[in-house]
Structures are given as structure tokens and as C-alpha cells.
Amino acid sequence: MLLNVHSCFSLRYGTLNIEQLVKGLLLNGYDTAVLTDINNSSAALDFIKECRKYGLNGLVGMEFRNADELLFIGIAKNEEGFRELNELMTAANQRNSLLPVIAPEFNHVFVVYPFGKPLSHNLRDYEYIGVRPDQLNRIALELQSTQQRYVILKPLSFQDKQAHLLHRQLRAIDHNLLISQLKPTQIADTDEVFLSKSSLIRLYKGFPQLIRNTEKLLQDCSFNFNFKNKKNKKNFRGSHYEDNQLLYTYAMEGFLRRYGKTNKVAMDRVLKELEIIKNLEFATYFLITDDICRHARARNFHYVGRGSGANSVVAYCLGITDVCPIELDRYIIRFLNPKRNVSPDFDMDFSWNERDEIYDYIFQKYEKGNVALMGAMSTFRSRSIIRELGKIYGLPRGDIDRLVHEPQHMLNKNEITNMILSVYDQMSDFPNQRTVHASGVLISEKPLTYYSAMDFPPKDRPTIQFDMYVAEDIKFEKFDILSQRGIGHIKDCRKIVFQNQGIRIETSEPQRFFKDEKIAQQLRSANTIGCFYIESPAMRQLLTKLKCDEYRTLVAASSIIRPGVASSGMMKTYIERHHDPQKVEYMHPVFKEQLEETYGVMVYQEDVMKIGHHFGGLDLSDADILRRIMSGKKRDEKHLGELHIKFTRHCEKMGYPKDISQEIWRQMESFAGYSFNKAHSASFAVESYQSLYLKTYFPLEFMVSVLNNYGGFYQRKVYVNEARNSGGNICLPCVNKSKYNTSIDGKDLYLGFDCLLNLEEKLAVRIVNEREQNGNYRSLENFILRTEARLEQLVVLIRCGAFRFTGTGKKELLWEAHLRISGKQQKTGMVTLFETLSTKQPMLPKLESSLLEDMYDEMELMGFPVSGSMFDLAKSSFRGEIMAKDLCNYEGKTVRMVGDFIAEKKVRSRNVSNMKFGTFLDVEGHFFDTVHFPQSLKSYPLNGNGLYLILGKVTVDFGCPSLEVQKCARMPMLSDPRSE
């Protein structure tokens, strides 16, 4: 009887999640209801699935609104009707237009207009008027023939009248108003709550025609959605047979390239995989992924294939991944699980500035309407909840900040803040707005409007309105097209090396890098700044502790660093056992049998599967589900509990000691921290090696590529420092030498115009284009005439030293710029034979300048000094008692060091107090790390950029030194002479 039900996916309006909604329908005696969320169908299929679980007849529709004006409600008679509703909403979203006031012609949809809405047409066969309970008295005197077009309209938006407050708060947030400023038309009536079916019938008992009409309408609707069939495009070519034949051909071609003709082990594995792929109908998924990779290779795009699909030798032969699964003995069941009903994942990484072209290729190749980006749902989280609620109640910014950062403060104890905190839990993880998944693409056999309406975010690509979890539930297999800057580093470095040295280099077939001693030394010494995934302070420390110098160890390190292994306490155990394998003690013989390669430590997601299956007695299907749950794919506490019971019962049956089985489960459960699968770690390690090869043999060109891809983990000055340490001569921007990005000539690195914080991009591009067309600039006057630069932009260029080729001082040039332009913009196209802006050359006295002034200019314009370092700006000449390179020699001693702040990481220790890890550069440009425990941090905070004097005790852990900070403070700087 409920034709107008809102869930919390009626964003910033409804307050019921799908589970609450369905349980509420059951408790109130309903057997049928229509979910009609406002202007979207995000939750429609989730609602259907949940209803079926409890034996309810779930139906779907959509409520169409322009802002706060209710236009009409559409109810799908069937799947075709659902598509019609989604297409109406999709068209409006694509045009960014208002919805029609009157419903369009529908073939499979019922339309319900709100009573009292003026209509300019006679109702069509599928159109009705919805009458709310409080409107019954207005139709009481109407003829029964008139009432034949009326139906019951009892909207449902929240649990009870108490939840109306949450609804009002959401509406105020949506309208960016104080809650007291909301108008009646902007909020729902307080009666949009659950009402039992019997009570609803009693309300309308005097109007039996309305009850009959409503029942008839619902009886004419049937939504028989198939959740079991795959929704992806069925064939790459014309049929499954053709797809399997093509995949076989491509795999054999790749096999010859990867393994030659005589590798029987690899051939057996390939043939076995092809048979599995054929039986499970995965060929199309493989071929579409392969097609994307072929296009990338044709465009000379570097890419990295990751995900569980990288466990496949077929994928390796196709060139989807560069990681050989046989070489790493990866857990074959992860891919060849015969119970698996979804294709293995392929995560394809492309350079950050090339991914859009890959998207364009996909959207152009496949039928319009059958391809879309994956949607995602942004939710209300922690601090954002308090800030949003604080604003709608008019709290001053300072009060909101205090409530966020000091919730226990005595000034927070008042009626408003108590109310805000009381609804905090209700809004936690509450849907806030639809957004775009980071990488997912759907390619469908049928038009995607059969499943959802589409949004069109800023780049105007259709985006499905549901998220990856709904997609998985309805049997969609997404294609993950990701971007990262590390790939840009590799691709651009190859180009730069050729331009600077004339050497053509290749980074494919990276196995040759694994045995290179120079690269091994770089890895062992953690000289990895700029290298993908292995440059962060934590990763560099781990490499040092492991003395990592070979591929398999790096693969393990890529997963050990993840929160799963780290939080289980097994990272330290792994390091200890790595250094002394003779001391390995296996918790059970199964651990030796299955995890000997990793010293009995669960490192990868596959290890959870192995132990769950071989120790815990879970079948492979359950073990894979356990792996998915614990890898953060979909945290399902109920299902996890069921698996825990199975695991525990098996352990009891086998007579395992209870303490051992409990500890093993604890370690497995820690993998909720998003641990990697081995294929993922291996793919990351391959890319790390490719970067490390370039850094080892072409360090200057590599740093240029890092700068031009806008870095990685650190700020720009770190990569400039690294280039200087590698023998580069760092040159300030120059109008006759620099390009838009950083460039290199021999060992001279010219910083690009992009590093100037206040220079307009269009002028930077114009400077380079004009110079390339008409030659170098001869003077400031010549530059002004040819580029039409405005005065404020000239000032930026002069102050950064971009006109030093003239031999004239910066202060003189600034005078000249002001006198020549005098606040007037020169006319366009004024390059003349005479090249003069004024008839008189200014006569200036000798003006003094200093290196200190230059460095302060550079700090202001670029964020860091280039002509010197932060140490040159310090008032004190003290540079520390020891340098970073000597730390290991002072273990246990308390020393003073001076460091230029680089990075920090905030963590919570076991006592829930805050602590930090810091990273600094010493005066020689070398890194050292600090640990700031809560007590020290409270008295001596770490407050971002600056030069710090640090007192601390040197600790060395597995050969990796750090400084446990007792005291630290920013050092005073020399005063800025420009302001004197």
C-alpha cells in the first residue's frame, strides 16, 4: 500500500537505511512497497534484494522533483518501466535541465501526481492522483467516478516523529541554512513515518475506491530482476566460441614471447587456465582488458597491470601484467578457484596525464549507453558531521573548532552541543552525496539504464548512480582504470634521457633489473627517493631493516608495510626471521608447509586463504570469502562471524590448542587493514624496480621526470635536493632557458615556470612558444614587447632571477619595468623595428642586493630557497653535533641535531595519545627520522615546515637509526632584509 517510500539515499532527506526500511515494513504488516527515492535510483536494486530476503514484494520507482517542488512519482510496472524512469532522469542530468512538470509518455510506468497540483491535461491511462491522509476531507464530497483516478499516498521518510529532527537537520545542511530558517516547503511533514498497514486501511476505510485503486496498481507491477546472471558485455566478438578462439591465439603468441617454445610447466599452466576461462566464460573480460592494453601500447603508454588477475599466466602472456606468476609461485587457487563466479580483478595503472585518453577510447569503442564510470557514495564522517551541524545551528567557527578538537572541554557543555553530539552516531557513515569511483568502468550487454539512472559529473562522462558493492551484488564486473604519477616518472624519464643523452632505453622485461648489483645496492641503502611505492619514510626504514636487495624480498616488503601485517605485530617477527631463518618457530606444521617462504608469517591475502583452508578447515570458496572480507573489500561482520564459528569448530575437532587457534584467528582478522595479494605486491615491486633502474643509471633525468609529474610522497624541494645530491646544477627559472616544466641540459637543471606559485600559466606557455618561434629574448624591453606581460607578472619573473642573462641587477630591472610600463598595458602586437616603450632610459643609482634577499624571494615565489638552503637562513651557525650518516655510531647516546623539516606522520599509540614520526634533512642533504612520543610532543610540538634544533636519544633497530625526541624547537631565522 506504500507507493512513496524514501530511504536515506534520498540524499539529505530520508533517514532510513535499506535494512531499517525493510524491517520496518515487515513489523508494520506490509507485503508490498515501492521505493521512490528522490531523483535517483541508487538503492533500488539493493532494496529489491533485501525485500526478497524477507519474502516481501519490493517494487521500484522514482520521485521527481525540481528543487523542493514535487512534480510526480513514477512507479515501474516492470524492468522496462524502471529503464524508462532512469532514462528520464539521465536525460535531465545530461542536459543539466529541469525535469518536466508533466510526465512524458511512458509505456511501462504508472504516474502519481500529488493531490492539488494543477494539471493542464486529462489524466492518461497510467496516471493517478495521490491523496494523503490529511487531504481526505477535501475529496469526501467528490463523486465516486472522480475517485477512480485517486490512490493512497502515504509518504514514508523516517522511522518516527523523533527522527524528524534528523530530517530537518539534513534539509538545513542541504539548503545551507540555519535550521530555524527552513520553510515548510523545504521539509517533510512530521507524519511521514511508519504506520501499520491496518492503521493505514482504517484511515481510508471511508474511501474504498482509493484502496481498490492502490491495490490494483500494485498488482499490475512485477519486478523480476535477475541477480544471478552476469551483466557485463557478453562477447568481445560475435560469440563465446570466437572469443575463446581469439584468446587462445593471443595467449599462444604471448607464450612464445614470454617463455619460448620449451617451457612445459608454463604451457601446462596456460592450457589449464584457458580451460577454466572457457568454462567460467571469462574470455570476454580478458579480451576487453587486453584490448585496452593493446591500445595503450599502440599509443606508447606505459601501464602496470595489477589485481588478482595478475596471478594468471594467460594475463602475463597477453601483456596485461609484466609479473610472471610461475616465477613467484603465486597461489594458483586464487585465480583457478572453480567455485569462483566473478572474473578475477584487473587493476590497470596508467600515467596520471594519459588516463583520460584511455577513458576516451573505452567510451568511443563501446555502444553509447552501455558504458559508464562506476559511482560511489560520499558519506558524512566524524568531524564533517560536527562541522555541518554546528553551521546550521549558527555556532561560531571557534566554537565548532573547539567541539571538533576538544570535545570534553567544559565550554562545550550546553543544549546545542549536547544535541549535536546526540545525533552524531545517527549520521556517521550516512550517505551525503553521490560521487565517482576512483577508477571503475562498467561495460554492459544491455543499456545501463536497465539498472540505474546516470549522473554526469564535471568531465561529462556518464556515471552510474550505485557503488561497487551494488555492482558486485548484481553481477557486474568492473574494469579498474587507475592513474598514478609513478608511471609518468618512468615514461617521461625515457624521453628525457633520449633528449639529453641521445640514449634510447627500455624498461619492459624488468626481470633483467632483478640481478643488477648497482640497483641492489641502491635498494639495500634505501636510496629510493622518487621511486614508486618505496620512497616514503616508513618504506625506506623497512628496506633498511630488511637489508632488502632482491626482488622476492621487495615483493614481501610491499605487503608487510600495509596496515594488515603491521597491526598484527607480525612485521617485526618477519624482519627477525628474515635475518635469522634458523630461529623460525612455526605455530603449527601447516604453517611450515604453506608459509615457509615467508617464515611462517601471513604476509599476503593468499596466506589468509591458505591458513583458513589448510588449518581452519574452510573450503576454498569460504577461504576466498574470508580473504575478501579481511582485505577490506566488503566488511561483513555477520558473515565473518559465521566463518569464525566454522574455523573454531574445526580447530576443536582437530584438537588444536585453543590459545594457538585463537592467536591464528587474531592474526588473520588483522588483515582487515587492506593487506595486498601477492600479485598486487609483485606488480608494485616490478614498477619499483623500473623506477629504481632509472634512478640508478640516469639520476638527473629521473629527478626531472619526478618534478614534471609533480612529485610523489614529498614536497618539491626534496626532489630538487635529491637532484643536487646526484650532481645536478640547479638553475633558477630563466626566460631564455626554461620551459613550462623543469628541463635538463647536460647537468644543468632549469626549474620550470610551473614552479612559480604566482605566475599565470598562459603567460608561462606564451614565453616558451614565443621564444621557440622568434628566438631568445634580448632584453627586458624586448620581452615586454613580445609577450605583453603585465607588471605584476614581470615582477614575479624578475624577482626569481629569470632575467639574469641581462647582467642587470634585480632591483634595477624592477625600476625599469615600472618606468617602462608605468601601470599602463602596452598594446598587443607591438614588436617593431624600434623596440621602444619609452624615449628615456632611466638613470638609477647603484642599488645593493644580497644572497639573503634572493633566498627570501625564492622562498616567497617557489616555497623553498634554491640559491642556498634553509640552513643558510638560520641565525645560528650551529648545524648539529652529528650528521645523519653517523647516527648508527651513536646508538644509545643523546645528541643534538639540526634538521630541515620534510614530512610527518601522525599516529595513535596504545594509550590512545597522539604521537608523530618526523623526517628531516641535515645540512649535508641527508635524511634522518625522528620519533615524537606523546609526552615529548605535548611539550615540544612539531609544527610543520622550518629548521628545528632537536635533542634526542639515538636508537638503532635492525640497522635503521632514528632519534627519540626529548626536546625540539624551531630555530630563529635571519630577518628578511627586504622589509628593513
Side-chain angles (χ1 to χ4, degrees):
M1 304 299 289
L2 297 179
L3 305 182
N4 188 203
V5 174
H6 300 125
S7 75
C8 58
F9 290 89
S10 287
L11 300 178
R12 302 182 181 186
Y13 192 99
T15 69
L16 293 158
N17 65 41
I18 296 301
E19 186 176 354
Q20 290 171 330
L21 182 53
V22 172
K23 288 183 177 177
L25 293 173
L26 278 170
L27 289 171
N28 286 281
Y30 293 97
D31 54 11
T32 302
V34 187
L35 182 69
T36 55
D37 277 323
I38 298 170
N39 290 356
N40 81 91
S41 51
S42 302
L45 299 178
D46 240 3
F47 175 73
I48 297 296
K49 187 173 184 181
E50 191 73 9
C51 283
R52 288 187 188 174
K53 187 191 300 184
Y54 293 98
L56 295 179
N57 178 29
L59 300 173
V60 293
M62 197 179 299
E63 181 178 303
F64 293 93
R65 290 184 176 227
N66 285 329
D68 294 314
E69 181 189 1
L70 170 58
L71 304 174
F72 54 88
I73 299 156
I75 300 170
K77 296 181 182 179
N78 48 39
E79 289 180 64
E80 291 295 333
F82 188 47
R83 179 189 179 186
E84 287 183 304
L85 295 173
N86 288 329
E87 285 181 341
L88 173 60
M89 195 67 242
T90 297
N93 288 339
Q94 185 170 22
R95 294 191 303 264
N96 194 25
S97 63
L98 293 174
L99 288 157
V101 175
I102 301 300
E105 290 287 340
F106 284 126
N107 296 314
H108 303 276
V109 170
F110 288 117
V111 173
V112 178
Y113 294 101
F115 179 80
K117 178 181 177 66
L119 298 175
S120 58
H121 71 293
N122 294 324
L123 291 178
R124 291 165 284 191
D125 290 344
Y126 52 85
E127 293 182 322
Y128 294 86
I129 303 294
V131 182
R132 296 170 62 124
D134 60 355
Q135 296 170 329
L136 288 172
N137 61 330
R138 297 169 61 182
I139 66 166
L141 299 178
E142 292 188 9
L143 299 174
Q144 190 170 359
S145 60
T146 304
Q147 294 181 9
Q148 287 179 353
R149 308 304 301 166
Y150 291 162
V151 292
I152 296 171
L153 186 62
K154 170 63 179 73
L156 173 61
S157 301
F158 25 88
Q159 184 81 31
D160 49 38
K161 291 190 177 181
Q162 287 182 328
H164 190 258
L165 172 60
L166 177 57
H167 164 77
R168 290 175 59 232
Q169 291 165 336
L170 291 169
R171 300 306 296 137
I173 291 170
D174 189 52
H175 285 281
N176 196 26
L177 294 171
L178 294 175
I179 196 166
S180 58
Q181 295 175 326
L182 283 172
K183 300 173 182 176
T185 55
Q186 294 172 324
I187 56 177
D189 291 339
T190 56
D191 65 355
E192 292 191 13
V193 297
F194 275 114
L195 184 68
S196 70
K197 182 177 179 180
S198 57
S199 298
L200 182 61
I201 295 296
R202 280 198 298 272
L203 285 175
Y204 285 83
K205 67 179 181 180
F207 302 87
Q209 185 64 51
L210 271 70
I211 297 174
R212 287 193 295 271
N213 293 344
T214 308
E215 289 176 338
K216 177 66 167 57
L217 185 154
L218 291 173
Q219 287 168 6
D220 288 343
C221 297
S222 178
F223 199 79
N224 299 313
F225 186 82
N226 189 321
F227 284 90
K228 294 182 179 179
N229 290 350
K230 292 181 181 179
K231 308 301 186 296
N232 282 56
K233 183 173 174 59
K234 288 184 177 179
N235 305 118
F236 182 72
R237 287 199 166 174
S239 66
H240 289 311
Y241 174 79
E242 290 177 90
D243 282 1
N244 285 311
Q245 289 297 107
L246 182 62
L247 184 62
Y248 178 87
T249 300
Y250 285 167
M252 290 301 108
E253 290 173 356
F255 178 85
L256 290 174
R257 185 177 69 254
R258 295 292 200 183
Y259 296 108
K261 298 180 180 179
T262 59
N263 193 323
K264 186 176 184 305
V265 172
M267 178 57 78
D268 289 345
R269 170 84 177 258
V270 168
L271 294 175
K272 186 176 181 180
E273 284 190 13
L274 286 170
E275 186 65 22
I276 295 285
I277 291 168
K278 176 182 176 182
N279 293 338
L280 296 179
E281 298 183 355
F282 291 168
T284 305
Y285 186 82
F286 271 75
L287 287 170
I288 291 175
T289 306
D290 173 68
D291 182 65
I292 293 168
C293 294
R294 285 172 184 267
H295 174 75
R297 292 197 295 271
R299 296 286 293 113
N300 198 28
F301 290 175
H302 188 86
Y303 64 86
V304 173
R306 298 184 287 106
S308 65
N311 284 299
S312 162
V313 177
V314 170
Y316 179 60
C317 291
L318 293 175
I320 293 173
T321 175
D322 273 331
V323 179
C324 174
I326 296 173
E327 181 180 326
L328 281 179
D329 189 29
R330 290 213 289 272
Y331 199 42
I332 194 170
I333 297 299
R334 174 78 195 279
F335 169 69
L336 295 179
N337 182 357
K339 294 186 178 182
R340 187 179 187 125
N341 58 5
V342 295
S343 293
D345 297 329
F346 285 118
D347 298 335
M348 304 305 302
D349 287 333
F350 295 90
S351 177
W352 62 279
N353 55 6
E354 293 173 346
R355 180 172 69 163
D356 278 349
E357 185 175 322
I358 297 296
Y359 276 146
D360 289 342
Y361 174 75
I362 295 170
F363 277 83
Q364 289 165 13
K365 184 176 181 71
Y366 298 100
E367 188 175 351
K368 185 178 180 181
N370 290 40
V371 58
L373 298 179
M374 174 65 73
M377 191 61 65
S378 172
T379 60
F380 288 104
R381 293 288 183 91
S382 55
R383 294 179 179 181
S384 70
I385 299 173
I386 294 176
R387 292 197 181 280
E388 293 285 6
L389 291 173
K391 282 192 292 185
I392 66 171
Y393 283 100
L395 290 183
R397 175 72 177 270
D399 288 6
I400 296 174
D401 288 343
R402 186 178 63 243
L403 189 57
V404 167
H405 298 294
E406 303 175 81
Q408 303 305 318
H409 197 287
M410 59 179 295
L411 293 177
N412 291 335
K413 309 301 179 184
N414 58 64
E415 185 178 349
I416 291 178
T417 54
N418 288 341
M419 185 278 306
I420 288 174
L421 294 174
S422 72
V423 299
Y424 178 89
D425 288 337
Q426 295 179 56
M427 284 183 65
S428 182
D429 287 328
F430 211 70
N432 183 16
Q433 58 186 8
R434 293 187 304 279
T435 182
V436 185
H437 184 270
S439 60
V441 177
L442 299 180
I443 304 174
S444 175
E445 179 68 18
K446 297 168 65 176
L448 284 163
T449 45
Y450 274 107
Y451 313 108
S452 164
M454 245 106 54
D455 295 318
F456 291 80
K459 289 192 176 180
D460 207 34
R461 291 193 179 98
T463 302
I464 208 82
Q465 288 187 336
F466 52 66
D467 62 23
M468 60 182 285
Y469 301 116
V470 175
E472 185 176 317
D473 284 343
I474 66 175
K475 295 298 182 289
F476 257 123
E477 295 152 0
K478 62 182 170 61
F479 296 83
D480 283 312
I481 310 297
L482 301 105
S483 70
Q484 50 151 289
R485 297 188 184 275
I487 289 175
H489 299 169
I490 295 168
K491 179 184 177 183
D492 288 355
C493 184
R494 296 198 305 249
K495 290 182 181 177
I496 295 167
V497 169
F498 180 71
Q499 292 166 357
N500 193 44
Q501 298 191 40
I503 301 172
R504 292 190 184 277
I505 55 177
E506 185 54 64
T507 52
S508 60
E509 304 299 335
Q511 290 81 357
R512 57 200 167 99
F513 304 147
F514 301 164
K515 297 174 183 176
D516 187 306
E517 182 50 39
K518 285 188 178 180
I519 297 175
Q521 175 55 34
Q522 291 274 82
L523 195 56
R524 194 182 302 119
S525 60
N527 187 6
T528 56
I529 298 300
C531 296
F532 172 74
Y533 203 70
I534 54 174
E535 66 165 334
S536 71
M539 194 64 183
R540 292 175 63 249
Q541 290 170 25
L542 178 58
L543 295 175
T544 302
K545 292 175 182 179
L546 287 170
K547 294 184 172 55
C548 176
D549 60 2
E550 55 93 27
Y551 176 58
R552 284 177 177 267
T553 305
L554 184 58
V555 173
S558 298
S559 193
I560 290 169
I561 199 70
R562 299 291 290 175
V565 183
S567 66
S568 71
M570 297 309 290
M571 178 195 284
K572 183 176 181 181
T573 302
Y574 183 92
I575 297 170
E576 290 172 344
R577 295 177 179 183
H578 176 72
H579 287 299
D580 190 358
Q582 300 301 318
K583 292 185 178 179
V584 175
E585 294 183 6
Y586 296 101
M587 298 179 70
H588 187 273
V590 167
F591 277 67
K592 177 173 175 57
E593 177 188 332
Q594 299 295 329
L595 304 180
E596 188 169 11
E597 179 189 343
T598 55
Y599 316 114
V601 175
M602 285 182 284
V603 170
Y604 310 109
Q605 291 174 14
E606 291 92 338
D607 296 341
V608 176
M609 287 181 65
K610 291 177 182 180
I611 298 306
H613 175 59
H614 294 286
F615 178 84
L618 303 177
D619 65 28
L620 285 173
S621 180
D622 280 342
D624 192 42
I625 291 170
L626 178 65
R627 188 268 316 165
R628 289 173 65 79
I629 292 173
M630 290 184 172
S631 65
K633 292 281 186 182
K634 197 169 185 179
R635 187 74 174 176
D636 185 337
E637 298 295 342
K638 181 181 178 182
H639 208 153
L640 183 61
E642 293 170 355
L643 293 174
H644 188 196
I645 291 171
K646 286 184 180 180
F647 177 91
T648 303
R649 286 176 177 169
H650 177 78
C651 292
E652 290 172 351
K653 179 181 177 182
M654 298 298 292
Y656 298 152
K658 187 175 181 180
D659 58 336
I660 290 179
S661 59
Q662 287 179 339
E663 171 60 16
I664 290 171
W665 181 264
R666 183 196 70 78
Q667 291 180 22
M668 293 168 69
E669 194 168 22
S670 73
F671 274 65
Y674 299 88
S675 299
F676 279 165
N677 62 65
K678 193 172 184 180
H680 209 96
S681 295
S683 299
F684 271 21
V686 164
E687 187 177 344
S688 298
Y689 259 99
Q690 290 170 320
S691 293
L692 198 53
Y693 159 71
L694 295 171
K695 180 178 173 64
T696 301
Y697 288 98
F698 308 97
L700 296 182
E701 289 88 352
F702 181 69
M703 279 306 136
V704 172
S705 72
V706 172
L707 287 166
N708 289 348
N709 282 275
Y710 302 101
F713 186 88
Y714 302 100
Q715 46 191 307
R716 181 180 286 261
K717 73 174 184 179
V718 174
Y719 302 110
V720 171
N721 174 77
E722 193 72 8
R724 184 180 282 117
N725 286 348
S726 299
N729 176 33
I730 310 302
C731 305
L732 289 161
C734 172
V735 295
N736 276 341
K737 292 284 189 179
S738 292
K739 298 181 179 179
Y740 180 76
N741 296 123
T742 299
S743 56
I744 184 170
D745 183 4
K747 291 192 174 183
D748 293 336
L749 272 71
Y750 282 90
L751 296 178
F753 296 119
D754 61 339
C755 74
L756 296 172
L757 303 177
N758 297 311
L759 189 71
E760 294 175 355
E761 182 179 350
K762 62 182 180 181
L763 175 60
V765 172
R766 193 187 315 142
I767 291 170
V768 178
N769 291 342
E770 167 62 25
R771 186 183 74 218
E772 289 177 348
Q773 290 176 16
N774 299 305
N776 282 353
Y777 301 104
R778 297 185 292 278
S779 64
L780 177 64
E781 179 183 17
N782 178 255
F783 178 86
I784 295 170
L785 285 164
R786 290 166 60 183
T787 64
E788 306 165 19
R790 296 196 308 273
L791 180 60
E792 67 272 16
Q793 295 291 287
L794 279 175
V795 170
V796 171
L797 290 166
I798 291 169
R799 288 177 58 208
C800 81
F803 290 95
R804 59 189 181 279
F805 74 93
T806 64
T808 305
K810 292 198 295 186
K811 291 181 179 178
E812 288 84 355
L813 288 170
L814 287 170
W815 273 103
E816 183 180 346
H818 281 80
L819 290 171
R820 288 192 182 282
I821 295 181
S822 300
K824 299 176 184 178
Q825 184 60 45
Q826 66 271 24
K827 295 179 182 179
T828 60
M830 283 189 61
V831 181
T832 70
L833 292 173
F834 301 101
E835 290 193 0
T836 180
L837 289 173
S838 62
T839 57
K840 294 182 179 180
Q841 294 291 330
M843 299 295 295
L844 299 172
K846 183 174 177 59
L847 302 172
E848 295 183 0
S849 61
S850 69
L851 179 63
L852 187 60
E853 286 180 314
D854 290 342
M855 286 194 290
Y856 269 107
D857 275 340
E858 291 157 15
M859 287 274 288
E860 179 183 338
L861 297 171
M862 290 180 281
F864 59 94
V866 176
S867 300
S869 73
M870 288 294 294
F871 295 89
D872 298 318
L873 297 175
K875 275 188 177 180
S876 170
S877 61
F878 182 68
R879 298 295 178 259
E881 295 170 341
I882 63 171
M883 295 294 108
K885 63 185 179 184
D886 301 318
L887 269 170
C888 284
N889 299 328
Y890 290 83
E891 183 175 6
K893 295 183 179 179
T894 299
V895 299
R896 291 187 301 163
M897 297 187 72
V898 175
D900 181 10
F901 175 86
I902 296 301
E904 67 176 40
K905 181 180 179 181
K906 188 175 182 180
V907 297
R908 288 186 176 274
S909 62
R910 290 179 182 175
N911 62 3
V912 196
S913 300
N914 290 329
M915 64 180 292
K916 286 183 178 180
F917 295 100
T919 304
F920 295 83
L921 287 174
D922 68 12
V923 70
E924 295 178 344
H926 298 141
F927 290 89
F928 67 93
D929 298 304
T930 57
V931 182
H932 303 253
F933 288 108
Q935 187 174 354
S936 163
L937 191 62
K938 186 175 181 180
S939 302
Y940 303 96
L942 194 58
N943 291 319
N945 288 334
L947 204 64
Y948 285 79
L949 176 60
I950 306 166
L951 176 71
K953 180 182 177 182
V954 179
T955 63
V956 181
D957 188 21
F958 296 106
C960 182
S962 61
L963 202 61
E964 285 187 4
V965 175
Q966 298 167 5
K967 297 179 181 180
C968 75
R970 275 207 192 99
M971 293 180 69
M973 298 285 105
L974 293 169
S975 59
D976 185 348
R978 302 172 305 171
S979 58
E980 294 177 353

